[in-house]
Amino acid sequence: MGKLTTHVLDTANGCPAAGMQVTLLRLDGVAAQPLKTLALNHDGRAEGPLLEGEALRPGRYRLVFAVAAYFRGRGQDLPEPPFLDEVPLDFGIADAASHYHVPLLVSPWSYGTYRGS
């Protein structure tokens, strides 16, 4: 059974991004359909898969990570506007039977991602 998961690591402080807000959207043509908004747990992960089973369909998706709000919540002094506010990651799911893990490594000034396992 396929599933979609995420994990965020705060590279500026060397820890999981506990409490960061994440929004998942399905990109259908011109419109973006919001599917879920959540806060990451103490390990920087969602409590369970973002999508799994029949809810995980092939298509284009977007994860939006509330980066500036997270770092401000940690007491980081950021300019207005911040260099990174929300980080959107667009990705495709081709095989709904596979595990798609979308990690984010982030600081107030940079980010990276890859397809994890």
Side-chain angles (χ1 to χ4, degrees), residues 12-73:
N13 295 293
C15 62
M20 181 180 287
Q21 185 173 334
V22 180
T23 300
L24 172 66
L25 303 104
R26 181 172 169 83
L27 305 177
D28 288 321
V30 178
Q33 175 188 6
L35 299 177
K36 184 178 288 191
T37 297
L38 58 111
L40 300 177
N41 68 15
H42 69 281
D43 196 32
R45 299 176 186 271
E47 290 296 333
L50 301 174
L51 294 174
E52 65 182 327
E54 292 183 16
L56 181 66
R57 299 179 296 154
R60 294 183 37 92
Y61 292 85
R62 175 178 294 150
L63 283 168
V64 180
F65 300 90
V67 172
Y70 164 78
F71 283 107
R72 282 191 175 120

Side-chain angles (χ1 to χ4, degrees), residues 14 20 22 35 40 49 78 80 85-86 99-100 104-105 111:
M20 181 180 287
V22 180
L35 299 177
L40 300 177
L78 300 178
E80 189 56 50
D85 187 3
E86 292 185 332
H99 179 190
Y100 286 81
L104 180 71
L105 307 172
Y111 67 91

Side-chain angles (χ1 to χ4, degrees), residues 101-112:
H101 183 63
V102 184
L104 180 71
L105 307 172
V106 68
S107 81
W109 312 279
S110 67
Y111 67 91

